[in-house]
Amino acid sequence: MDNLNSAVQTLIHSSNTLFILLGAVMVLAMHAGFAFLEVGTVRQKNQVNALSKIISDFAVSTLAYFFIGYWVAYGVTFLQPAAALTADQGYALVKFFFLLTFAAAIPAIISGGIAERARFGPQLCATVLIVAFIYPFFEGLVWNGNFGLQAWLQAQFGAAFHDFAGSVVVHAMGGWLAFGAVVLLGRRDGRYRDGRLVAFAPSNIPFLALGSWILIVGWFGFNVMSAQTVAGISGLVAVNSLMAMVGGTVAALLIGRNDPGFLHNGPLAGLVAVCAGSDLMHPVGALATGAIAGALFVWAFTATQVKWKIDDVLGVWPLHGLCGVWGGVACGIFGQQALGGIGGVSLISQLLGSGLGVLVALAGGFLVYGSLKALVGIRLSQEEEYYGADLSIHKIGAVSQD
């Protein structure tokens, strides 16, 4: 009997390790989506830089999160003999890998907002600071109960802040961090002339669409595998993700008037918004959440560029920042039993938790990028921006001229 129990436990631990490893690989693949979404959106003279930023940021994020960030969030360090790390088939290591892919999404999100005029070295420095300290601080508050925030919300309002897969912890944080960077960088040269927006057309719509599709597919690992164990798998999460994605797509198609940029970002807006409550909502609630997010993105992106004259290249603040906050609030609305949800969620806790995420990200973004701007500068020179980041930084263009 002892041998049978031991075999069962080994099977459970092995299954959980494989499950979360597959999730980590799927979210890792999403970084290719971030890369191609940016490559297709920026002008051709900045495509090499877009690709280089995403993979470099991921490498630097891994080091920052392994040595500092994961310890800040969860109080866990891996600086011990390898033999001690093999417990439960190395589940703890694979969990780190999975959560790393979330952490590394933060600089990948920021990358799209600051494209075409940010210096390469200072951005890598910002990545280290954000992934080592700022993101893990808020991640630990929400997902590890650090500093008693969740316990206080539970006691005061009957439920802790619920963010199943990171609408606020990952996406809103990334979007609002990017907002600070975008504001401090300023607009691209020539983006506005006599107070009017000058259109910079996407360089490659097929690449933009490819990036969107890679992100969509990987998102089902992002959301479903957030259960982190085989026993926690829920088909509800998968179908809610699907319905939110479809809702965002249809809303962006209709309101965006067939614009391919809006159309391929609409599903991402829906998926950003459903992350928080994907394990609680009814599929119809997820559909509504995604549709509102798709409409919000189209409106906010247009207002950002045209009315407010904030040069956020890929619209990462509307897409991740605003839609992420909407996702946190939507969880508190459509997660209620009265609207078909599972319940166990407080709208007040969702509002407070989402608001705190915005405050932490805004303060962190202006602190990190403001300090770097004062100390070393964060923007390319006018001449470097004119020739493009590819030639100015990497000394090669995306397409051979032979």
Side-chain angles (χ1 to χ4, degrees):
M1 183 62 70
D2 288 341
N3 289 338
L4 178 60
N5 288 335
S6 178
V8 169
Q9 289 302 312
T10 298
L11 179 61
I12 291 172
H13 292 314
S14 297
S15 299
N16 288 338
T17 301
L18 179 60
F19 173 72
I20 199 170
L21 174 61
L22 292 174
V25 172
M26 289 183 71
V27 184
L28 172 62
M30 290 176 70
H31 288 263
F34 283 120
F36 278 98
L37 191 69
E38 184 173 339
V39 166
T41 304
V42 299
R43 290 169 290 179
Q44 190 177 61
K45 62 183 180 180
N46 297 296
Q47 290 181 327
V48 172
N49 181 244
L51 294 169
S52 300
K53 280 190 297 178
I54 299 299
I55 194 166
S56 298
D57 276 335
F58 188 88
V60 170
S61 295
T62 301
L63 297 176
Y65 199 62
F66 183 84
F67 288 105
I68 304 173
Y70 197 71
W71 173 77
V72 171
Y74 300 101
V76 174
T77 178
F78 298 111
L79 301 180
Q80 50 190 292
L85 303 177
T86 59
D88 299 335
Q89 280 62 51
Y91 177 82
L93 287 172
V94 179
K95 180 180 178 181
F96 154 78
F97 181 13
F98 180 66
L99 292 172
L100 159 69
T101 59
F102 283 53
I106 301 295
I109 290 168
I110 295 170
S111 176
I114 64 175
E116 300 202 325
R117 76 274 202 204
R119 292 178 60 199
F120 193 61
Q123 171 55 22
L124 291 180
C125 293
T127 294
V128 171
L129 295 172
I130 289 167
V131 177
F133 300 106
I134 296 171
Y135 168 75
F137 169 74
F138 188 69
E139 178 189 17
L141 285 178
V142 176
W143 285 344
N144 199 47
N146 294 353
F147 301 107
L149 171 67
Q150 293 286 46
W152 181 80
L153 291 172
Q154 176 76 44
Q156 294 295 317
F157 307 110
F161 174 61
H162 187 88
D163 192 357
F164 180 71
S167 285
V168 178
V169 173
V170 178
H171 296 287
M173 282 290 291
W176 287 91
L177 280 161
F179 182 83
V182 167
V183 169
L184 288 169
L185 268 172
R187 308 161 187 162
R188 286 169 290 175
D189 285 340
R191 183 58 167 159
Y192 297 91
R193 188 174 301 145
D194 298 327
R196 290 180 171 271
L197 177 71
V198 176
F200 287 175
S203 61
N204 193 310
I205 295 296
F207 274 169
L208 186 158
L210 175 63
S212 176
W213 272 108
I214 293 172
L215 286 166
I216 288 168
V217 173
W219 222 296
F220 287 87
F222 197 99
N223 282 4
V224 175
M225 270 74 165
S226 285
Q228 299 188 19
T229 63
V230 174
I233 297 174
S234 172
L236 182 65
V237 176
V239 173
N240 280 345
S241 300
L242 174 68
M243 296 301 283
M245 183 269 285
V246 170
T249 304
V250 173
L253 173 64
L254 296 175
I255 299 174
R257 300 181 180 181
N258 304 323
D259 182 284
F262 288 142
L263 175 59
H264 287 92
N265 277 284
L268 307 183
L271 286 163
V272 164
V274 83
C275 286
S278 56
D279 62 328
L280 298 180
M281 297 178 181
H282 187 278
V284 176
L287 178 65
T289 297
I292 293 170
L296 175 63
F297 170 73
V298 174
W299 172 81
F301 181 86
T302 304
T304 299
Q305 302 288 336
V306 178
K307 184 176 181 180
W308 303 326
K309 296 181 175 58
I310 299 173
D311 193 11
D312 179 348
V313 181
L314 267 68
V316 298
W317 175 63
L319 180 64
H320 298 274
L322 296 183
C323 291
V325 170
W326 159 239
V329 175
C331 176
I333 298 172
F334 294 107
Q336 303 286 348
Q337 289 183 337
L339 292 177
I342 291 176
V345 65
S346 163
L347 179 57
I348 296 177
S349 291
Q350 295 306 115
L351 289 168
L352 291 175
S354 300
L356 180 60
V358 171
L359 289 176
V360 171
L362 264 181
F366 278 102
L367 176 63
V368 168
Y369 286 96
S371 298
L372 288 170
K373 182 177 182 178
L375 293 173
V376 297
I378 57 176
R379 180 162 180 160
L380 296 173
S381 69
Q382 188 174 29
E383 181 180 11
E384 289 171 330
E385 188 178 338
Y386 174 79
Y387 285 109
D390 292 358
L391 294 179
S392 298
I393 297 173
H394 308 286
K395 312 305 179 186
I396 191 169
V399 180
S400 172
Q401 300 301 316
D402 295 339

